[in-house]
């Protein structure tokens, strides 16, 4: 059976929630309005518990099934959506476009939140499962590690969560299709900040200086040899230096320079290797040039690793919703996603939901596709009803 009839009936309402959230985008942990909206809906639906303020502005709804739980059955499953928007000026021209200058829902978290609310409504209404569904609405997915903040606040322990499932819309994947693979599918993302202190001076007297610009270029070149010469060519890795700041006059060799970049990897071994080699290269260039080079290497989101058994579950449920031919394999991506923290704590799976031929994520013309709502919402419901089926 494909999309649930009841979900098709709920679609206009879920879409209206999405448009409301879309109008008032909020960033990072400052998702007060969205969190209030979510908590109010969850209370209306009659969730058994609605807890706010987890991970600062995260919201959790607890829905207990009506069927008895058997011994040894899975008891508690967590479904996660994200609520935050991005610091981008919206250029969609939509009637429900952002009303907040410089902020927009350009990653579809408005859609994720609305779909999970739709599922919560259905599950609270029907309760046709055993055990407990925990619906999780997190802040600060976009670089703020909101998932980690909720875990630090005892998300797993307080609600007894045994498995986590997440979903993200995927532009380029047809509406009505899903994409998933087991294993590492999204990258760990680390940041590097480099401060070079050379010796400034007159542009015409370079021999009296240590040119921080030249040191910076040598460093960038040397860093680019790490992926090409140190990493196994069959492994994935990215080092991108995206900022280089130095100087403010054409005739002055600048005393200092600053570089900033990002490091992406799909395994902890390659991640460790890159960090070590970056430290070595920085030390080596400092020695060769005589500059002082300060490196701050900060580890960000971990690799998102889909667990095999739960990926099978997700695939099976997606096929049930979308049909066999509409569930495809997802090649790993070097983007990052903080749902990875949840999958470090408990087994689970992250699936991509087709958003059709839309602008890409984080683009000012991007919009979540309302036609995907019935598929995503049905997926959540069927996931709970099948994973928490009475034995
Ligand atoms: Zn995003
Ligand atoms: Zn996102």
């Amino acid at each position: 059976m494909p999309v649930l009839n009841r979900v098709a009936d709920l679609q206009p309402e879920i879409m209206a929630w999405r448009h409301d959230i879309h109008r008032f985008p909020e960033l990072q942990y400052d998702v007060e309005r969205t969190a209030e909206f979510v908590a109010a809906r969850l209370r209306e639906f009659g969730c058994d518990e609605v807890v706010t303020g987890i991970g600062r502005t995260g919201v959790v709804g607890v829905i207990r099934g009506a069927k008895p739980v058997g011994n040894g059955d899975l008891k508690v499953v967590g479904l996660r959506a994200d609520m935050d928007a991005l610091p981008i000026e919206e250029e969609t021209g939509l009637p429900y476009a952002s009303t907040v200058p410089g902020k927009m829902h350009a990653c579809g978290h408005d859609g994720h939140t609305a779909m999970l609310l739709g599922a919560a409504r259905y599950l609270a209404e029907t309760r046709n499962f055993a055990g407990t569904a925990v619906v999780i609405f997190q802040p600060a997915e976009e670089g703020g590690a909101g998932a980690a903040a909720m875990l630090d606040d005892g998300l797993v322990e307080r609600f007894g969560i045994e498995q986590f499932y997440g979903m993200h819309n995927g532009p380029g994947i047809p509406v009505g299709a899903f994409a998933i693979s087991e294993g590492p599918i999204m990258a760990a993302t680390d940041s590097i900040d480099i401060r070079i202190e050379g010796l400034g001076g007159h542009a015409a007297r370079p021999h009296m200086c240590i040119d921080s610009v030249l040191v910076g270029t040598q460093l960038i070149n040397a860093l680019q040899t790490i992926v090409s010469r140190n990493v196994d060519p069959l492994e994935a890795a990215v080092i991108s230096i995206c900022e280089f700041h130095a100087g403010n006059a054409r005739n002055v060799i600048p005393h200092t320079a600053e570089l900033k970049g990002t490091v992406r990897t799909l395994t902890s071994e390659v991640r460790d290797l890159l960090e070590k080699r970056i430290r070595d290269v920085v030390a080596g260039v400092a020695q060769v040039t005589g500059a002082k080079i300060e490196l701050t290497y900060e580890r960000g989101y971990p690799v998102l690793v889909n667990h095999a058994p739960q990926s099978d579950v997700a695939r099976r449920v997606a096929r049930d919703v979308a049909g066999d031919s509409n569930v495809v394999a997802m090649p790993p991506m070097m983007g990052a996603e903080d749902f990875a923290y949840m999958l470090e704590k408990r087994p689970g799976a992250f699936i991509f939901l087709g958003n059709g031929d839309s602008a890409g994520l984080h683009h000012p013309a991007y919009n979540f596709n309302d036609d995907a709502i019935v598929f995503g919402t049905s997926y959540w419901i069927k996931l709970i009803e099948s994973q928490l089926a009475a034995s």
Side-chain angles (χ1 to χ4, degrees), residues 328-339:
V328 298
M330 184 79 202
M333 287 182 290
M334 300 314 276
E337 169 50 73
D338 82 344
F339 184 64

Side-chain angles (χ1 to χ4, degrees), residues 168-179 326 328 330 352-357:
H168 205 291
N169 75 94
I173 303 168
V175 173
F178 289 87
N326 289 320
V328 298
M330 184 79 202
F352 292 86
L353 167 74
N355 200 55
D357 192 19

Side-chain angles (χ1 to χ4, degrees), residues 50-302:
V50 178
V51 185
T52 58
I54 300 187
R56 290 202 244 170
T57 39
V59 182
V60 173
V62 175
I63 306 162
R64 294 194 189 93
K67 294 181 174 176
V69 182
N71 275 345
D73 283 356
L74 181 65
K75 293 178 188 68
V76 186
V77 170
L79 310 179
R80 170 275 204 175
D82 37 16
M83 300 188 285
D84 58 321
L86 284 156
I88 296 174
E89 186 71 33
E90 180 160 347
E91 290 174 16
T92 60
L94 290 165
Y96 55 88
S98 168
T99 58
V100 187
K103 298 181 189 176
M104 79 171 282
H105 270 288
C107 205
H109 299 184
D110 51 342
H112 303 165
T113 295
M115 289 189 295
L116 189 55
L117 280 175
R121 169 157 188 180
Y122 178 101
L123 293 169
E125 201 171 271
T126 54
R127 302 194 183 247
N128 190 27
F129 57 96
T132 304
V134 178
V135 290
I136 302 157
F137 299 85
Q138 75 153 80
E141 192 290 319
E142 300 287 359
M150 290 189 84
L151 292 167
D152 289 346
D153 262 359
L155 180 67
V156 167
E157 300 76 13
R158 282 163 79 171
F159 302 97
I161 294 166
E162 292 163 280
Q163 293 183 358
F164 280 116
Y165 292 88
M167 179 168 17
H168 205 291
N169 75 94
I173 303 168
V175 173
F178 289 87
I180 184 168
S181 291
E182 59 196 56
I185 58 161
M186 296 193 77
T189 170
D190 300 342
S191 62
I192 44 182
D193 286 75
I194 295 170
R195 190 176 180 281
I196 298 164
E197 188 181 340
L199 183 62
H202 200 293
R205 294 164 61 79
H207 60 294
M208 304 299 287
C209 303
I210 298 173
D211 182 353
S212 60
V213 172
L214 186 62
V215 174
T217 60
Q218 289 184 353
L219 200 48
I220 292 168
N221 277 326
L223 289 172
Q224 290 310 324
T225 66
I226 297 175
V227 172
S228 66
R229 295 296 130 195
N230 300 133
V231 175
D232 181 334
L234 297 178
E235 298 281 354
V238 177
I239 298 175
S240 289
I241 301 296
C242 302
E243 290 186 45
F244 189 156
H245 303 286
N248 49 23
R250 75 167 66 248
N251 57 355
V252 178
I253 290 175
H255 189 68
T256 61
E258 275 183 12
L259 307 180
K260 288 184 187 190
T262 182
V263 178
R264 310 289 173 112
T265 49
L266 285 177
T267 68
S268 55
E269 291 76 19
V270 176
R271 192 183 201 185
D272 290 345
L273 171 71
L274 258 57
E275 178 173 355
K276 184 187 175 300
R277 287 297 297 141
I278 289 167
R279 291 190 186 284
D280 291 349
V281 163
V282 166
V285 170
Q287 200 192 13
V288 167
T289 60
K292 272 190 229 155
I293 310 180
E294 220 175 76
L295 165 69
T296 308
Y297 189 105
E298 217 167 89
R299 290 199 169 208
Y301 294 177

